[in-house]
């Protein structure tokens, strides 16, 4: 299986590029943000819990996220691989992902880090908020999410460097140029 982690700050383009990778390699997509927003829309208990954290710009607790991730992963049959978008976001999640995959005879193939400067992230997220009406894409919550990213998520860069899985990708430029760089990295495996 081709197990790809697409990594980057909020607004770095993970969702957009995941779709391109899915189309090219025929793998399954797990976007934890989409899963949570789906639960909120359905009005489930999980959705209700998630909404509180998301509106505050905070992360959902690791134990809950790890269970959601494993059950989503196990729902795929005869999968060629998975792109993990929005997971892991903490060291605990990265460790749990490694264990979860190992228990299934799998491992992470590559971690692709979309590098985008902070001012550009802010511009993109504000614009997304205006266009899509995503409740967490407002200036105050964006600032909190970027802080959470730096404190809790960015340390994963060093973690995956140590695992020899880290590849940096310039996240500025046309969507197709960025996609081409991502494909090159995957094809190099
Ligand atoms: P972003 O564009 O901010 O990366 P996502 O759609 O990936 O947005 O996630 C939206 C929100 O869902 C996050 O701010 C967080 O509250 C929650 N979330 C998503 N993935 C995770 C995760 N792996 N662990 C904890 N919380 C998560």
């Amino acid at each position: 299986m081709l197990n790809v982690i697409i990594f980057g700050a909020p607004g770095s383009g993970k969702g957009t590029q995941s779709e391109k990778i899915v189309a090219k390699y025929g793998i399954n997509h797990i976007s934890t943000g989409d899963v949570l927003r789906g639960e909120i829309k359905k009005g489930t208990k999980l959705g209700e819990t998630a909404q509180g954290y998301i509106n505050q710009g905070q992360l959902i607790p690791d134990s809950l996220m790890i269970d959601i991730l494993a059950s989503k992963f196990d729902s795929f049959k005869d999968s060629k691989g998975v792109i993990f978008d929005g997971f892991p976001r903490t060291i605990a999640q990265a460790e749990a992902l490694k264990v979860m995959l190992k228990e299934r005879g799998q491992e992470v193939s590559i971690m692709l880090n979309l590098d985008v400067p902070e001012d550009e992230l802010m511009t993109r997220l504000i614009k997304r908020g205006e266009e899509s009406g995503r409740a967490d894409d407002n200036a105050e919550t964006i600032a909190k999410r970027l802080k959470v990213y730096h404190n809790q998520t960015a340390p994963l860069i060093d973690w995956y460097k140590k695992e020899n899985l880290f590849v940096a990708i310039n996240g500025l430029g046309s969507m197709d140029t960025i996609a081409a760089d991502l494909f090159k990295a995957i094809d190099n495996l």
Side-chain angles (χ1 to χ4, degrees):
M1 282 174 75
L2 175 66
N3 295 311
V4 177
I5 296 172
I6 186 112
F7 188 84
S12 58
K14 299 186 294 288
T16 309
Q17 295 298 336
S18 292
E19 282 171 26
K20 292 181 183 286
I21 291 173
V22 164
K24 181 163 164 83
Y25 298 94
I27 59 177
N28 295 107
H29 182 196
I30 302 181
S31 159
T32 45
D34 285 351
V35 171
L36 297 170
R37 282 185 290 276
E39 295 293 323
I40 292 171
K41 216 168 157 194
K42 283 189 275 177
T44 62
K45 183 116 194 299
L46 171 59
E48 203 182 301
T49 306
Q51 189 157 37
Y53 291 101
I54 291 177
N55 290 352
Q56 290 303 311
Q58 299 300 323
L59 298 181
I60 276 69
D62 285 333
S63 57
L64 191 55
M65 255 354 277
I66 290 161
D67 287 350
I68 295 170
L69 198 272
S71 82
K72 183 90 185 161
F73 185 86
D74 289 334
S75 72
F76 302 133
K77 295 278 167 266
D78 301 322
S79 178
K80 283 202 233 170
V82 172
I83 180 149
F84 296 93
D85 162 10
F87 189 100
R89 263 176 147 95
T90 62
I91 302 269
Q93 291 181 12
E95 284 167 350
L97 177 63
K98 190 172 176 176
V99 171
M100 193 275 279
L101 289 175
K102 197 164 181 207
E103 284 168 357
R104 290 155 178 80
Q106 295 296 322
E107 58 189 13
V108 171
S109 313
I110 193 168
M111 190 263 215
L112 299 162
N113 179 42
L114 287 170
D115 241 327
V116 177
E118 189 108 341
D119 54 343
E120 170 71 10
L121 295 172
M122 203 55 166
T123 309
R124 288 186 190 177
L125 290 167
I126 297 276
K127 187 158 168 259
R128 186 170 78 185
E130 286 164 0
E131 286 168 359
S132 75
R134 229 177 89 165
D136 58 343
D137 284 341
N138 61 76
E140 192 191 336
T141 312
I142 293 167
K144 282 193 199 155
R145 283 156 58 206
L146 290 174
K147 216 167 162 187
V148 166
Y149 170 78
H150 287 298
N151 292 336
Q152 300 189 52
T153 306
L156 287 174
I157 291 174
D158 279 340
W159 198 89
Y160 280 104
K161 278 184 183 164
K162 284 193 197 121
E163 297 268 306
N164 278 323
L165 293 169
F166 176 88
V167 175
I169 302 287
N170 180 6
L172 273 185
S174 81
M175 285 194 240
D176 287 337
T177 313
I178 298 165
D181 286 347
L182 291 164
F183 296 164
K184 220 187 284 166
I186 294 172
D187 290 338
N188 262 336
L189 283 172

